[in-house]
Amino acid sequence: SAVISQKPSRDICQRGTSLTIQCQVDSQVTMMFWYRQQPGQSLTLIATANQGSEATYESGFVIDKFPISRPNLTFSTLTVSNMSPEDSSIYLCSVGGGTLGDTQYFGPGTRLTVL
Amino acid sequence: KQEVTQIPAALSVPEGENLVLNCSFTDSAIYNLQWFRQDPGKGLTSLLLIQSSQREQTSGRLNASLDKSSGRSTLYIAASQPGDSATYLCAVKAAGNMLTFGGGTRLMVKP
C-alpha cells in the first residue's frame, strides 16, 4: 500500500484568492491524480499529474483554473485559482502504478471552503 | 461515456445482518473494478480490487463479485457491525487509467 499525506487538511479562503494543495507519497509511483468531491456528491477526476510535463485535464477542467505541478515521482501540487464559493469541495490526491500495482490509493483529502 | 450506478443510495440495517451493495456500469470494457470505503469528511480506503478477468475477491467479512458481461458488481458484507457504517463507493477503470465512480451507498449499521 501507500501512505499519502496532503497539506493543508482544510482551509477557509476568501473569494478571488488561490490555494495550493500539496500531496506527498511515501514511495515512487507511476501515476498521480487529482479528484474533486463536491458536497454530497461522488468523486470527479480533475487531471492526471505527469512528471516533468503538463498535466492531462479532464473535460470541464482547465490549466488556468487548476494548475498542477509534479516535479518528481513522489510529490505533486494542485492550485485552485481565483476561487469562488462553487470551488468549495474536498480535493483528493490519488496514486497508483509502479510497485502499487493496479490498486489506486487516496490521500486524506483537503476540505476547502470558499466564502 | 462510462456511467456507474450504485443501489441503494442509503441503507440502514441492525447489527449482525448480512447485506449486499450493488454497482452497475454501462461499458463492459473495463480493466478492473475497485470498492472503497469513505468515512465522513475523510479520504477513501481501498477495500477490494477485482481485475476484469476475475469473478470475485474476498477480504475478511467482505466479498466482491464481478460480472463484466452484464456490467454488475456486488459487495457482500457478512455479519455487519456498527464500525462498518460509512459510504461505500465502487469505481471502474477503463482506458487512460481513469476511475469512474458511482454515487455511493451510505450504510448505517445500528447497534
Side-chain angles (χ1 to χ4, degrees):
Chain A
S1 65
V3 177
I4 306 167
S5 61
Q6 285 186 233
K7 291 181 182 179
S9 59
R10 58 176 60 221
D11 207 343
I12 300 173
C13 301
Q14 295 297 320
R15 180 195 298 262
T17 62
S18 298
L19 176 72
T20 295
I21 302 168
Q22 298 180 2
C23 175
Q24 179 77 53
V25 61
D26 68 342
S27 58
Q28 295 187 343
V29 294
T30 306
M31 297 174 290
M32 294 184 82
F33 308 92
W34 287 98
Y35 285 81
R36 180 174 75 180
Q37 186 176 30
Q38 294 178 299
Q41 299 190 25
S42 193
L43 281 76
T44 302
L45 179 64
I46 297 172
T48 302
N50 301 309
Q51 189 214 351
S53 64
E54 192 172 288
T56 305
Y57 290 85
E58 296 300 313
S59 176
F61 298 97
V62 295
I63 187 171
D64 290 346
K65 176 66 175 177
F66 297 102
I68 288 171
S69 78
R70 189 179 174 191
N72 56 51
L73 292 175
T74 64
F75 184 79
S76 178
T77 66
L78 167 74
T79 299
V80 186
S81 303
N82 188 25
M83 288 183 285
S84 67
E86 292 72 34
D87 295 320
S88 297
S89 295
I90 299 175
Y91 292 86
L92 297 115
C93 171
S94 177
V95 303
T99 57
L100 300 180
D102 290 329
T103 299
Q104 205 159 317
Y105 297 92
F106 283 78
T110 295
R111 181 181 291 273
L112 171 62
T113 301
V114 184
L115 302 177
Chain B
K1 179 186 173 185
Q2 178 76 268
E3 292 183 4
V4 181
T5 304
Q6 290 186 245
I7 295 173
L11 182 62
S12 180
V13 300
E15 181 176 7
E17 272 203 10
N18 302 322
L19 53 99
V20 174
L21 309 182
N22 297 291
C23 173
S24 62
F25 46 95
T26 55
D27 186 347
S28 63
I30 65 169
Y31 291 148
N32 59 50
L33 182 145
Q34 203 165 345
W35 282 93
F36 295 91
R37 167 186 172 138
Q38 185 175 32
D39 293 286
K42 306 290 186 182
L44 278 65
T45 300
S46 178
L47 298 174
L48 289 164
L49 171 77
I50 310 178
Q51 300 290 359
S52 62
S53 59
Q54 297 175 324
R55 297 286 291 182
E56 66 177 344
Q57 283 288 327
T58 298
S59 176
R61 295 183 292 109
L62 305 179
N63 175 278
S65 68
L66 174 64
D67 184 342
K68 198 176 86 162
S69 61
S70 68
R72 295 175 188 272
S73 175
T74 62
L75 179 67
Y76 175 83
I77 302 176
S80 58
Q81 303 170 359
D84 295 329
S85 298
T87 296
Y88 290 80
L89 295 157
C90 77
V92 298
K93 179 177 285 189
N97 290 307
M98 175 178 170
L99 279 180
T100 302
F101 281 84
T105 294
R106 192 168 60 254
L107 172 66
M108 175 165 294
V109 181
K110 298 179 179 178

